[in-house]
Amino acid sequence: MTDAVVQDAEHQLGVRLPALLLDILQVQNGGLVAELWNAFPTDVPASWSENHVPLDDMMGIGRHDGQPSLLESPYLVEEWGLPSPLVLLSGDGHCWIALDYRVCGERGEPSVTWFDVDGDTEIPLAADFPTFIERLTAAASFDLDDADGSRSVS
């Protein structure tokens, strides 16, 4: 990934991407997320779980091996009726994790938000992308055998 590719992506998306995201994409430009960091804990129930949302994969810049791209965000936002401006990081159409530029504006540091299209809900996950990355954990760390049947962090 070159500076020109990043500049072109930011121009197409109409936003400044977080520096840490660009650092991560330099190492791996999208694809599967390691099992140690494939979930984000939540304080409120999401459609996915009582206490976390998944991050099984993350979009990169450009298409690789049929993987979706961050550059498809404007189309997907419109298709799924999501608010704007967002840059989608991960999702399947029904649920998304996105960089949320609604408060900070296109040049600011976006928050990270979970969007459930089917449930018409959104859950703020982190105030910024570095905080989001710091709080990622393994989905396997969530105990499914809690005494009351609900999920909880082990």
Side-chain angles (χ1 to χ4, degrees), residues 1 4 10 15 26 28 41 45 51 78 81 83 85 97 107-108 110 113 121 149 152:
M1 214 172 43
E10 290 181 329
V15 298
Q26 288 286 348
Q28 180 177 324
N51 59 10
E78 183 175 334
I97 294 176
R107 308 311 293 164
T113 305
T121 59
S152 63

Side-chain angles (χ1 to χ4, degrees), residues 11-13 26 41 49 62 67 87 95 102-103 109-110:
H11 177 74
Q12 286 184 52
L13 294 167
Q26 288 286 348
S49 164
Q67 294 283 332
V87 173
C95 298
R102 291 177 293 174
V103 173
E109 184 67 30

Side-chain angles (χ1 to χ4, degrees), residues 103-126:
V103 173
C104 69
E106 288 91 3
R107 308 311 293 164
E109 184 67 30
S111 60
V112 181
T113 305
W114 165 265
F115 293 91
D116 178 342
V117 175
D118 295 336
D120 195 28
T121 59
E122 60 184 74
I123 300 171
L125 299 177

Side-chain angles (χ1 to χ4, degrees), residues 4-88:
V5 168
V6 171
Q7 289 173 353
D8 183 55
E10 290 181 329
H11 177 74
Q12 286 184 52
L13 294 167
V15 298
R16 184 183 53 81
L17 295 169
L20 181 57
L21 173 61
L22 296 174
D23 291 345
I24 291 169
L25 294 178
Q26 288 286 348
V27 174
Q28 180 177 324
N29 190 9
L32 291 176
V33 173
E35 288 183 18
L36 289 174
W37 302 288
N38 66 353
F40 189 89
T42 60
D43 296 329
V44 298
S47 58
W48 176 262
S49 164
E50 291 294 312
N51 59 10
H52 72 283
V53 296
L55 182 69
D56 297 325
D57 53 50
M58 197 163 77
M59 295 183 199
I61 295 175
R63 282 197 160 270
H64 304 282
D65 301 324
Q67 294 283 332
S69 169
L70 295 173
L71 300 178
E72 295 173 59
S73 292
Y75 166 77
L76 293 169
V77 163
E78 183 175 334
E79 179 176 315
W80 289 96
L82 296 166
S84 187
L86 300 178
V87 173
L88 304 176

